[in-house]
Amino acid sequence: MGSKKVLFFGDFGVDDITALMFSYFDDDTDIIGIVADYGNVSKQTALKTAQYLAKLSKTENIPLIGGAARPLTGEIPVYYPEIHGEQGLGPIVPEGDFPDGNFENFEMIRSLIIQFDYNVTIVNVGRLTSLATAFVLFPNIVGRVKDIFIMGGAFLYPGNVTPVAEANFYGDPAAANLVLTLANKVSIFPLNVTNYAIIPDEIIQELDQFYKETDNQFGQILKPMIDYYTNFYKKNNPEIQGGPLHDLLAFWGAVREEKITYVEKPVKVIVESEYARGQSIADFRPYKTLADYPVHRIAVKFDYGAFVSDFQKIMRKK
């Protein structure tokens, strides 16, 4: 069957970057393009961090696309350096000069999908602004891709920005609702499952030792990032075993679909509300459906043992 062709949308925080690192090590994944968005960091910072990662991983041939700089509402975004670091890399500050370049190249999304004859899996692990914009600009192109996987939402589960809203949906609820209205059967990875996507500290330590022994400079950024990220979570919850790698799980689920359990439910995102902005709603009742809302797949369970062992194995491959 060959490797899965993935068009990656991310806002370049620690868990986005960990997902990208996994993709570079995984022989079953072929990243055909990267859309760098605002979210955890600014769009310009995301672009520079993406260039740094491409140089470090020797993947500078992968097209880099400048995504959205702010949500559809036009609001000024809020960034999270206390969670992800100033560059999205935890404590790491990239060395070298990475110019802004010409990344007003959004049309490339359309071109890449056509180039690969629509056999493209979109994985969106940041705000959904760029993907929503692509649907508005190129509905007959983006609507024909093979699959769409997104990290976002919280269903009958506490949010991480408000009591009911997850960060990606809260950051641009209009974009989230637009995508889930226009796209066919999106696979959604909400906080319900991603909060449990924790890689044990001893595995991160073992991988770090392996990267040092093999002089893998790219791999050596993993532990400082994860440590920084985990420390934030442990300040708020000393009992937690590590920082949940939300975006890694969504990416892993896109390429290891057989390890995920889904339910299919109609889904709606609240756009305008003083208290419920960004809330994701699905009809879990067995006897009624929200007939006006599109039906999507919601991840409700994953094989944690397979997730951890696969990560450990794949991350040692190169």
Side-chain angles (χ1 to χ4, degrees):
M1 293 179 62
S3 58
K4 181 167 285 195
K5 310 299 182 186
V6 175
L7 179 56
F8 181 88
F9 291 68
D11 53 354
F12 283 79
V14 170
D15 51 339
D16 306 69
I17 293 167
T18 305
L20 264 184
M21 291 182 73
F22 179 85
S23 77
Y24 295 151
F25 284 89
D26 183 23
D27 293 335
D28 294 330
T29 307
D30 182 12
I31 300 291
I32 64 166
I34 295 171
V35 182
D37 287 318
Y38 79 95
N40 294 316
V41 296
S42 70
K43 170 188 173 180
Q44 287 306 117
T45 299
L47 284 166
K48 290 183 178 181
T49 296
Q51 292 176 80
Y52 166 72
L53 293 171
K55 182 177 180 181
L56 206 57
S57 61
K58 299 180 174 60
T59 56
E60 293 165 292
N61 59 312
I62 297 175
L64 178 58
I65 300 163
R70 57 176 60 194
L72 296 180
T73 60
E75 297 168 303
I76 298 174
V78 176
Y79 306 125
Y80 299 93
E82 69 277 14
I83 304 175
H84 297 278
E86 293 291 341
Q87 309 294 320
L89 292 155
I92 298 169
V93 177
E95 296 181 0
D97 182 30
F98 297 94
D100 291 343
N102 179 22
F103 293 107
E104 299 294 333
N105 54 345
F106 203 78
E107 160 71 18
M108 191 176 289
I109 292 173
R110 175 183 176 276
S111 299
L112 285 169
I113 293 172
I114 294 172
Q115 178 185 335
F116 287 93
D117 197 25
Y118 304 96
N119 185 31
V120 171
T121 295
I122 289 176
V123 178
N124 189 309
V125 293
R127 311 300 186 260
L128 284 108
T129 314
S130 290
L131 184 54
T133 301
F135 263 106
V136 170
L137 292 174
F138 320 121
N140 296 324
I141 304 297
V142 181
R144 291 175 61 188
V145 299
K146 182 180 178 182
D147 296 298
I148 298 176
F149 291 79
I150 66 174
M151 188 278 129
F155 295 91
L156 307 177
Y157 192 87
N160 59 358
V161 175
T162 74
V164 297
E166 175 275 332
N168 287 335
F169 282 16
Y170 182 86
D172 194 344
N177 194 55
L178 190 152
V179 168
L180 293 174
T181 299
L182 297 182
N184 294 318
K185 200 169 283 190
V186 173
S187 298
I188 305 169
F189 282 73
L191 293 179
N192 306 55
V193 291
T194 65
N195 264 346
Y196 300 96
I198 295 172
I199 302 294
D201 288 342
E202 58 268 25
I203 290 179
I204 300 299
Q205 179 65 45
E206 184 270 331
L207 286 171
D208 187 58
Q209 186 62 34
F210 171 74
Y211 296 138
K212 287 175 179 174
E213 290 172 357
T214 56
D215 195 30
N216 186 325
Q217 299 297 313
F218 180 49
Q220 288 178 46
I221 71 172
L222 180 67
K223 186 176 186 299
M225 287 197 311
I226 299 294
D227 286 351
Y228 184 100
Y229 184 70
T230 294
N231 285 340
F232 169 82
Y233 279 92
K234 286 189 173 180
K235 285 177 185 176
N236 293 288
N237 179 10
E239 303 301 316
I240 199 168
Q241 297 301 305
L245 296 167
H246 309 280
D247 299 340
L248 172 64
L249 179 62
F251 190 95
W252 183 78
V255 296
R256 306 286 192 270
E257 288 193 70
E258 72 282 1
K259 303 297 184 182
I260 311 298
T261 302
Y262 294 97
V263 295
E264 295 188 6
K265 300 293 180 183
V267 178
K268 174 77 172 177
V269 178
I270 302 300
V271 176
E272 294 183 9
S273 171
E274 182 179 358
Y275 298 109
R277 166 184 166 139
Q279 182 178 13
S280 49
I281 297 174
D283 194 344
F284 287 91
R285 297 173 294 177
Y287 54 89
K288 290 185 179 180
T289 59
L290 298 173
D292 293 336
Y293 300 156
V295 173
H296 298 292
R297 297 200 305 176
I298 302 170
V300 293
K301 186 178 179 181
F302 70 103
D303 187 331
Y304 177 74
F307 171 70
V308 172
S309 63
D310 196 40
F311 180 81
Q312 185 176 24
K313 179 180 70 177
I314 295 298
M315 295 296 284
R316 289 178 62 99
K317 274 198 168 183
K318 296 178 182 177

